[in-house]
Amino acid sequence: MNETYWNEKIETMPREELRKHQFRLLKEKIKFCYEKTAFYRNKFKKAGITPENIKTLEDIQKIPFTVKNDLRDNYPLGMVAVNLDEIVEIHASSGTTGNPIIGAYSKSDMEVWQELMARSLYTTGVRRQDVTHIAYGYGLFTGGLGFHYGAQKIGAAIIPAGGGMTQRQIKLMKDLGTTVLCCTPSFAVYLAETMIKEGVNPRKDLKLRIGLFGAEPWSERIRERIESELGIDAFDVYGLTELCGPGVSIECTEHNGLHIWEDHFLVETIDPNTGEVLPAGEEGELVFTALTKTGLPILRYRTRDISVIDKEKCACGRTHCRMMRVRGRSDDMLIIRGVNVFPSQVEYVLLGFPELASQYQIVIDRPEALDVFSIKVELTEKTLQTQVDLTALKSKIIEKMHNVIGLSPIIELVKPGEIPRTEGKAKRVLDLRSGKI
Ligand code: DLL
């Protein structure tokens, strides 16, 4: 550890060396999966390959993908590769349908997770002297405990706030001198809003300096709002239960993408429709192979998350490649009247209007033959108090939407606080079309 890096040797390792390191781990992991799990043995057999066929890093493309349904079909512990008494912690992600996705950790998985979370937090500037307020949910969700383990390893003070009781959280942040806030970006917006309502001035009454936000897509414009309202430097943090939870990638202070910790994760980008591997720089679905996981090992996992990889060295000195902010999930993509729409595009347009607050909801229905696309969005308190021409505002929003996504939605402007808040991940889309022809 030094002033900049948690582990300088690893974080700044020349890419050629990093590739060799990855290949060494990959070979070991493939052999491990083949020997220890019937799931991978069968997958390999069906594809007509054995671990010996993997002779270069690129040969990974011979291995079939693993998908969410594989984990669901093998629920709860069918893909575990160690004796069950070697599993020391289990998490699960909710998922809206079917069996939950299980994350089962061996002792070494827990050590890696803690190390990667400490490295991630350190990268954003979290130090021993910090007071870390963790408002991600604790429990089965990996957010709360993931950040907890990382902050603990650094030696920072931890306030394990979890979700709920927003007013009390604000009081604690104020009274205990919180410097680092960890939560979903939507909860950060809600916290800022509540502070202002309660007469707390975040810039004056709090000592906040860093925010670590992830677990759901968010945009640059939300970042700008959070940063200016809370007076902090906001970082994007990414991960998923299937890999370890948070700790897969994080922004550095350059804010030009999230460094993927490639000494533990091998990333590929694919065309989500054909499965074809894309070159770095092209947008596609992220596919990860966990190089060091033992409890529930995972090869070529299709995340459904859409992003772009940049392998150029970063000005921060780190060599680990960067994924750009997740644009959305390929399965979140809406098809409205035949047009592909990502909720993040809608958010991008809305947040360009200072008259609007950041709470919105997309509603799609099909009362008859055609899709009806509407967006409910809250006005700010200030807009309500001033004489803004709401009809003109609606027309401007519709025009901008049309330019960006090619559709003209119905816009409903509502009062601040009318759209229900969530403590965990935000629910931005209400698709009422299912079952309707
Ligand atoms: O959300 C882990 C996590 C906790 C990440 C706290 C960051 C902070 P899951 O519940 O399994 O795990 O959900 C994983 O959430 O595949 C993405 O679709 C989405 N996601 C996670 N981080 C981001 C992010 C945690 N920074 C799924 N930007 C992933 C956009 C994100 N989407």
Side-chain angles (χ1 to χ4, degrees):
M1 184 194 319
N2 62 27
E3 236 169 66
T4 316
Y5 307 107
W6 176 256
N7 185 333
E8 184 168 9
K9 186 165 177 283
I10 295 278
E11 290 170 50
T12 62
M13 185 181 269
R15 285 204 66 78
E16 212 24 60
E17 213 179 302
L18 196 53
R19 274 175 63 85
K20 282 188 193 144
H21 177 76
Q22 285 189 314
F23 184 54
R24 229 175 11 249
L25 292 174
L26 179 67
K27 270 199 312 198
E28 268 172 32
K29 192 51 58 195
I30 287 172
K31 189 161 173 280
F32 175 81
C33 288
Y34 189 78
E35 285 170 2
K36 304 281 182 186
T37 71
F39 171 79
Y40 282 111
R41 220 167 21 250
N42 290 338
K43 244 189 190 321
F44 276 48
K45 272 192 193 138
K46 269 197 199 139
I49 53 168
T50 66
E52 284 68 48
N53 294 113
I54 311 301
K55 296 198 168 70
T56 65
L57 213 44
E58 282 65 37
D59 282 344
I60 194 176
Q61 294 178 22
K62 294 179 180 162
I63 301 173
F65 295 118
T66 305
V67 295
K68 217 179 247 304
N69 270 344
D70 291 325
L71 289 161
R72 292 223 161 95
D73 294 346
N74 288 283
Y75 175 85
L77 300 171
M79 282 169 67
V80 165
V82 294
N83 290 332
L84 289 187
D85 63 359
E86 288 176 49
I87 296 295
V88 296
E89 190 160 318
I90 294 178
H91 286 268
S93 72
S94 44
T96 39
T97 50
N99 287 331
I101 299 295
I102 296 285
Y105 304 68
S106 65
K107 189 159 180 290
S108 75
D109 294 335
M110 290 304 294
E111 284 161 5
V112 168
W113 191 23
Q114 186 169 38
E115 175 70 15
L116 289 184
M117 282 310 291
R119 195 197 287 174
S120 299
L121 266 66
Y122 203 83
T123 298
T124 67
V126 178
R127 298 292 180 266
R128 215 179 62 78
Q129 302 75 10
D130 276 302
V131 178
T132 316
H133 185 97
I134 303 177
Y136 285 109
Y138 275 71
L140 288 174
F141 178 51
T142 52
L145 282 166
F147 280 84
H148 192 101
Y149 295 137
Q152 194 161 56
K153 180 135 189 160
I154 289 177
I158 298 168
I159 302 164
M165 294 187 289
T166 311
Q167 269 110 338
R168 186 144 84 164
Q169 293 213 23
I170 295 169
K171 179 173 169 51
L172 286 173
M173 286 169 71
K174 202 169 128 206
D175 297 346
L176 298 171
T178 295
T179 54
V180 180
L181 171 65
C182 310
C183 62
T184 57
S186 49
F187 191 62
V189 169
Y190 183 48
L191 268 176
E193 220 176 77
T194 315
M195 282 178 195
I196 294 159
K197 227 192 267 163
E198 301 280 309
V200 174
N201 180 338
R203 287 174 162 272
K204 285 208 187 114
D205 302 332
L206 272 77
K207 295 196 180 128
L208 274 181
R209 57 182 201 93
I210 295 176
L212 294 163
F213 307 122
E216 63 188 14
W218 53 309
S219 61
E220 276 309 304
R221 285 187 168 155
I222 286 270
R223 189 210 303 268
E224 284 160 22
R225 281 205 182 177
I226 297 178
E227 287 190 337
S228 77
E229 282 175 13
L230 293 179
I232 57 170
D233 199 5
F235 293 85
D236 195 359
V237 42
Y238 168 87
L240 52 156
T241 311
E242 297 87 322
L243 294 180
C244 68
V248 175
S249 66
I250 187 109
E251 276 181 335
C252 64
T253 49
E254 297 295 323
H255 295 291
N256 57 1
L258 294 80
H259 288 283
I260 296 172
W261 299 126
E262 287 186 278
D263 51 328
H264 294 275
F265 304 107
L266 179 66
V267 66
E268 300 167 86
T269 324
I270 63 163
D271 177 325
N273 299 317
T274 62
E276 180 205 347
V277 174
L278 302 172
E282 274 190 35
E283 184 176 88
E285 177 181 340
L286 298 179
V287 171
F288 284 99
T289 295
L291 296 169
T292 51
K293 238 165 149 272
T294 62
L296 205 162
I298 200 121
L299 303 178
R300 299 199 88 203
Y301 185 67
R302 287 189 64 161
T303 61
R304 297 283 171 194
D305 295 325
I306 305 292
S307 177
V308 182
I309 298 291
D310 187 341
K311 293 193 172 166
E312 289 305 310
K313 189 172 168 180
C314 178
C316 74
R318 290 181 184 82
T319 48
H320 295 232
C321 73
R322 281 163 290 135
M323 55 182 265
M324 297 305 117
R325 180 183 276 297
V326 171
R327 193 153 82 93
R329 294 176 54 83
S330 58
D331 47 6
D332 273 356
M333 191 185 74
L334 299 160
I335 304 181
I336 307 174
R337 298 190 177 191
V339 179
N340 296 352
V341 179
F342 278 105
S344 58
Q345 293 173 298
V346 170
E347 178 172 307
Y348 174 81
V349 173
L350 295 178
L351 293 182
F353 290 88
E355 299 91 338
L356 304 177
S358 23
Q359 290 294 338
Y360 68 94
Q361 194 170 43
I362 300 170
V363 184
I364 311 137
D365 201 357
R366 191 177 288 163
E368 285 166 23
L370 274 185
D371 292 337
V372 176
F373 171 29
S374 19
I375 300 168
K376 219 185 205 182
V377 58
E378 287 183 6
L379 296 163
T380 63
E381 288 286 353
K382 201 166 148 210
T383 313
L384 271 188
Q385 284 154 16
T386 46
Q387 300 280 314
V388 173
D389 178 347
L390 296 182
T391 314
L393 176 61
K394 269 192 198 178
S395 310
K396 276 197 278 173
I397 301 171
I398 294 171
E399 193 189 326
K400 192 76 211 281
M401 283 291 172
H402 190 83
N403 289 341
V404 174
I405 54 180
L407 290 170
S408 305
I410 299 165
I411 301 291
E412 192 186 342
L413 301 171
V414 299
K415 287 195 198 118
E418 268 196 26
I419 296 174
R421 271 46 174 176
T422 43
E423 274 157 16
K425 304 190 187 214
K427 289 204 173 39
R428 305 283 195 202
V429 181
L430 207 60
D431 194 340
L432 305 169
R433 290 175 298 183
S434 58
K436 297 182 183 171
I437 307 156

